Amino acid sequence: LVLLCCVFTGASAPIPYPNQAYTYSQATGYPVPGMLNVKAVAVEGPLMMAVTRDGRVVTSWFPETREGQDAVVQVTNAVAVSMSYTGGAVLTADGRVIEVGGTSEHLPVFTNAIAIDVSGQSMDDDLDFKIAVTRDGRVVDWDLYGPPSSVEIPGVITAASRWAQIVALMSEGTVVEWYPARAPAVVSGLRNI
């Protein structure tokens, strides 16, 4: 079974509901109930989180019992979401990061985040890993149990993680990569990204 989620705009295809989240399985598309006017989406297996054009967060197949779910439902200024099987995060327009599910013991307090990413492995919260990029050029990483760590990378504009590996896109179009125990290094051959 292959599951894919995407959002179509009115200009991308003649579809009945522009900006609707759709799932695709075996070459058939299905609209996701309640995910209308979507501007950002995160998918992990059957779990979905989306940001609507008015800044609300909607979920599908996401357990209502997850920690932080009440806080997410009340958000009205979300700009991005990211998730894994064990948890997720919401980035707000004012630079805050709100966790959902698998909440961390040592969640850093953000007022200047510009990008987030959450990674993990199915049903294993030991490998859940979250990062945030801040306006002042830091990449902060944290997991459920350990204290957050921070790497200063002037010019970083976004980043992605996979367990303990982090890659970051720089404003001049290069990519840097590192693990928490190693210093960031430029990935050779990647330019104008």
Side-chain angles (χ1 to χ4, degrees):
L1 174 69
V2 175
L3 182 67
L4 168 71
C5 181
C6 62
V7 176
F8 287 113
T9 64
S12 60
I15 57 171
Y17 305 106
N19 302 313
Q20 163 84 47
Y22 284 78
T23 60
Y24 283 86
S25 177
Q26 300 176 354
T28 304
Y30 305 94
V32 180
M35 290 203 175
L36 296 167
N37 295 315
V38 171
K39 67 178 180 179
V41 66
V43 178
E44 188 67 47
L47 306 174
M48 291 178 231
M49 289 175 57
V51 178
T52 63
R53 295 220 177 267
D54 62 358
R56 293 180 304 104
V57 176
V58 292
T59 62
S60 177
W61 290 85
F62 208 74
E64 291 182 15
T65 57
R66 293 243 176 153
E67 293 180 53
Q69 182 73 14
D70 290 340
V72 168
V73 169
Q74 298 174 21
V75 171
T76 59
N77 64 343
V79 293
V81 289
S82 186
M83 66 184 301
S84 70
Y85 278 102
T86 58
V90 176
L91 175 62
T92 64
D94 57 357
R96 292 179 300 125
V97 175
I98 301 168
E99 282 190 320
V100 178
T103 53
S104 305
E105 292 177 8
H106 306 280
L107 172 66
V109 176
F110 293 101
T111 58
N112 65 345
I114 59 172
I116 57 173
D117 189 42
V118 175
S119 65
Q121 183 175 3
S122 178
M123 309 317 253
D124 188 347
D125 62 5
D126 290 340
L127 296 173
D128 194 26
F129 189 77
K130 298 176 178 97
I131 62 170
V133 176
T134 63
R135 282 187 191 92
D136 58 352
R138 291 182 306 124
V139 177
V140 181
D141 66 84
W142 71 99
D143 60 25
L144 287 177
Y145 310 107
S149 65
S150 175
V151 175
E152 193 166 322
I153 305 177
V156 63
I157 56 174
T158 193
S161 62
R162 186 180 74 87
W163 301 323
Q165 178 188 20
I166 302 171
V167 293
L169 177 61
M170 308 304 292
S171 58
E172 76 276 359
T174 60
V175 174
V176 295
E177 170 190 38
W178 72 98
Y179 293 84
R182 293 191 323 203
V186 174
V187 178
S188 63
L190 293 179
R191 299 184 191 286
N192 302 314
I193 305 299

